Amino acid sequence: MKIDILSLFPEMFEGFVNTSIIKRAIDAHLVEVHIHDFREFSNNKHKKVDDYPYGGGQGMVLMCQPILDCLKSIVTSESLVILMSPQGRTLNQTYSQELSLEKHLIIICGHYEGFDERIRDYVDVELSIGDYVLTGGELASMVVCDSIIRLIEGSIKEESHEDDSFSSGLLEYPQYTRPFEYDGNTVPDVLMSGHHENIRKWRLKQSLLKTYRKRPDLLIKKELNEEEQKILQEIKEND
C-alpha cells in the first residue's frame, strides 16, 4: 500500500512514521508513507495558501490551487482521495478494514477555518474521526493511518487484531499478565486452567458483558449466533 498525505505541517509526522508498528511496516516495505507540503505548490511568490472568504466571515480559507496542484501531481487511477473533515463519515473498524485493502490512499489535511468548497469536487471520501473539531487534519490523518496500517497483512500478527474491540462487533475481553496477584487482585482462575474451550467461553462472555454495560448500541447492530444469544440472556437475567 502507498499512502500520500497532503499537509502544511509535514514536521508533525516525523515521530509518527519513525515509531513502533508504523516504522516496522515501512521498513518491511508493507506500506509507503509520503508527506507532501502543499505550500510548495503555491503559485504565489510568497507561497501563500489561504485567503479571506468571499462574503466575509472569520478566519482564513485554504485556496484550491496549491492543494489541487499537489493532488494532481500524485493521483492515479488507483488512488482513493480522502479529505479529513468533521463533515465526513465517521471512521470505524469496519471502514478501516476496507481501507486497508486499497492500493493507494491520498489524504488531504485541512487547516485554518476550512477550505475552498471546490476542493470537494476532487475527493472520493470525506472522513471524520469524531464529532469534534481539531485545529487541522494532521492528527486525524495519523489516527486513520494507524488504524489502517496495523491491519495490513504482515504489520502485526493477524491474531493480534482479530480480537480487537469492534473487530467482532463486540468490545474486547479483559486481558491479564504477570504478576498473578497484585494488591489483592488476582487473575481469574479460568485463565490459569489451560482449558482452551473454557477460556474461549469465558472471553466470549466477558466481551458480551462489557459490550452490554458499556456500548449496548453495538449489540443492536450485531447479529448474535445462538451461543451469544444464550450468554447475553444469562447476563441480562443476572445483571
Side-chain angles (χ1 to χ4, degrees), residues 172-187:
E172 188 179 10
Y173 51 78
Q175 298 273 24
Y176 297 87
T177 188
R178 292 179 176 81
F180 172 74
E181 184 274 334
Y182 181 79
D183 204 19
N185 293 324
T186 59
V187 177

Side-chain angles (χ1 to χ4, degrees), residues 109-173:
C109 302
H111 219 80
Y112 307 127
E113 280 300 308
F115 40 79
D116 191 300
E117 185 70 15
R118 291 167 289 187
I119 292 172
R120 284 189 163 94
D121 295 339
Y122 298 81
V123 168
D124 298 307
V125 178
E126 291 187 48
L127 194 57
S128 167
I129 61 169
D131 294 338
Y132 49 89
V133 178
L134 300 171
T135 55
E138 284 76 17
L139 292 176
S141 71
M142 292 182 211
V143 170
V144 172
C145 290
D146 189 286
S147 73
I148 293 169
I149 293 172
R150 66 188 303 278
L151 296 175
I152 297 174
E153 186 176 354
S155 290
I156 60 176
K157 292 181 179 179
E158 190 172 353
E159 314 87 74
S160 296
H161 63 72
E162 283 181 342
D163 292 328
D164 284 345
S165 291
F166 309 112
S167 291
S168 65
L170 301 172
L171 300 185
E172 188 179 10
Y173 51 78

